[in-house]
Every structure is written in C-alpha cells, then in structure tokens.
Amino acid sequence: MIDTTTLFWFGALGMGAGTAAFVRGSLSGDTSDSRYYAILAAVSLIAAIAYALMALGIGWLPVGDRIVFVPRYVDWILTTPLLLAFLGLLSGIGRRELGLVVVVNTVVMGGGLAAALLSGAARFWLFGLAAAAYVALVYLLLGPMSEQASERGPAVGSLFGSLRNLTVVLWSVYPIVWLLGPPGFDLLTLTVDVMLVTYLDLLTKVGFGLIALNAGATIETELGASVPAESSRPS
Ligand code: RET
C-alpha cells in the first residue's frame, strides 16, 4: 500500500517537472506573453515546495484524532489567486474586478483552513460559509469574466470558456473530497484523501498550464494573433 509520504514526494516531483517545463517555455522566446509562463511557473514552484515540506513531515498538525496538512492550505491560499489571475489576464477583466475575485477566493480557502483546524460541529458552519463564497466565485467566473472574455473576440472567448469549464469542474471536486475526507465525515482514509488531492493539484496546476499554453499556441498559429496575449486595456 502506498503511504502518504511517497504520495507527497510524487506530488513534489510532478510539480517540479511542471516548474521546469514552464520556466523552459518562458525562455524559449516564442511570441506568447511571458506573464502567462511566469504565473504558471510560480504556481508549480510554490506547490513543489509545499509537497516537499509535507513529504519531510513538516506542517503536519494534529487536530483531535486526525492530521491537518497546513502546507496544503497555504499552497491553495497562494496559488489559487495566481490561477485566477491567469484567467483574469486572458479575459481582460480590470484590476478592480480581479481584486474582487481574489478576495472571494481568499474567503473560500481561508474558511476551508479554519474549518479544518476546528474539531467541533462549528467546522461545518465554516465549511458552509466557504462553500457559499465558492458559489459566488463560480458566478464571477461564469458571468462577468466570461462576458469580458467574449468581448476579446471568438478565439479568446472560446479558449477562456474551455479553461473556465476545466477550472470549475476540477475545483468543485475539492469541497466534495474535503467533506468525505478526514476533516468532514471521515469516510475516506488518509491515504485516499492525499491521493485524490495530489492528483487534483497536479491537474489544476500542471495540467491546466499545459492545456492553456498549447491551446494558446494553436490559436496563435491559426489566427496569427498573440493569444494568450496582452490585455487590450491598459493595466
Ligand atoms: C475547501 C473547503 C471549504 C469549501 C470549499 C473548498 C474549496 C477548495 C478549492 C480548492 C482548490 C484548490 C486548487 C489548488 C491547486 O491548484 C477549501 C476544500 C469550496 C476549490 C485549485
């Protein structure tokens, strides 16, 4: 049976490989906007560090009879705003709107961490609060951000649509795993919880990045347009 430490090393390795790929991409000097690569490289690097810490047994906090992996939540608090900034840059939304998206997202991640650290029934209230904020986040992605993206033309609109759908579908699995796992109803073993989250983290960071950059490059060649490209509005 695989143990959690092996899984954490596997995660660290995958995130390290992702970081290398995105750093290489940014140095390859193609026409894509280097900010997209920088965001993806930072996301994978932060996660690689978080996974290495967890593999070394750092940040394992006992709460009641279960363990909370603090680096997991710190990773999410730092990297989810970056992933949203990637989508924000692609959609061309303004700084103020992106700020709102990031604040709502921080309520989701901070609420999730606070809920995990509590042992009584109160954690389910905090989970509810974070879940409500998550619904607002999904609304912002499906509504205002998508509208803004479609104003940048059909190619960007459809690339944004695919990445947004991928994001909403994958991100929505996290609260389910949280509820079924040790912090919630404790129906999953710790190993299964770590396996699912590691897999999801790799998909939402490295998988998302590779798909985004490949699709962007295809649109660039087909249309001769630079996508992902500079936002059309001044930033
Ligand atoms: C929590 C519990 C509280 C309710 C909700 C959650 C959602 C978590 C999400 C995490 C996404 C993480 C990503 C990480 C890596 O790239 C905090 C589990 C709604 C959406 C994308």
Side-chain angles (χ1 to χ4, degrees), residues 76 80 83 108-109 112 127 130-131 134 171 174-175 178 201 204-205:
W76 293 353
T80 50
L83 291 167
V108 177
M109 303 303 155
F127 175 89
Y134 181 68
W171 288 33
Y174 284 90
W178 194 101
D201 279 352
T204 54
K205 293 179 161 94

Side-chain angles (χ1 to χ4, degrees), residues 15 43 73 75-76 79-80 83 105 108-113 115 126-132 134-135 137 170-176 178 200-202 204-205:
M15 297 297 179
V43 164
Y73 291 92
D75 166 0
W76 293 353
T79 59
T80 50
L83 291 167
N105 177 69
V108 177
M109 303 303 155
L113 171 60
L126 271 175
F127 175 89
L129 176 83
Y134 181 68
V135 172
L137 179 67
L170 290 176
W171 288 33
S172 298
V173 183
Y174 284 90
I176 299 172
W178 194 101
L200 279 172
D201 279 352
L202 283 168
T204 54
K205 293 179 161 94

Side-chain angles (χ1 to χ4, degrees), residues 173-218:
V173 183
Y174 284 90
I176 299 172
V177 172
W178 194 101
L179 261 192
L180 296 179
F185 296 109
D186 202 13
L187 301 171
L188 306 175
T189 64
L190 188 68
T191 312
V192 170
D193 172 273
V194 171
M195 196 186 289
L196 289 173
V197 172
T198 305
Y199 191 51
L200 279 172
D201 279 352
L202 283 168
L203 286 177
T204 54
K205 293 179 161 94
V206 181
F208 171 92
L210 294 176
I211 291 172
L213 295 176
N214 276 329
T218 310

Side-chain angles (χ1 to χ4, degrees), residues 23-163:
V23 169
R24 252 189 63 181
S26 75
L27 300 176
S28 75
D30 68 17
T31 54
S32 295
D33 189 329
S34 63
R35 285 180 299 178
Y36 289 98
Y37 286 104
I39 291 176
L40 296 172
V43 164
S44 329
L45 180 64
I46 292 169
I49 296 170
Y51 272 91
L53 289 174
M54 292 188 286
L56 294 169
I58 299 170
W60 295 34
L61 195 71
V63 172
D65 51 8
R66 59 191 166 85
I67 292 173
V68 176
F69 301 112
V70 178
R72 172 190 286 182
Y73 291 92
V74 174
D75 166 0
W76 293 353
I77 288 169
L78 297 174
T79 59
T80 50
L82 289 170
L83 291 167
L84 293 168
F86 185 102
L87 290 172
L89 204 58
L90 179 62
S91 71
I93 57 161
R95 274 169 188 268
R96 194 171 293 193
E97 289 87 347
L98 183 60
L100 175 66
V101 170
V102 168
V103 167
V104 172
N105 177 69
T106 306
V107 175
V108 177
M109 303 303 155
L113 171 60
L117 293 175
L118 291 181
S119 47
R123 70 189 195 280
F124 288 107
W125 287 105
L126 271 175
F127 175 89
L129 176 83
Y134 181 68
V135 172
L137 179 67
V138 170
Y139 165 77
L140 291 170
L141 280 165
L142 295 180
M145 280 178 86
S146 302
E147 268 162 40
Q148 188 66 47
S150 57
E151 280 175 23
R152 294 192 68 199
V156 177
S158 104
L159 172 59
F160 180 86
S162 326
L163 293 174

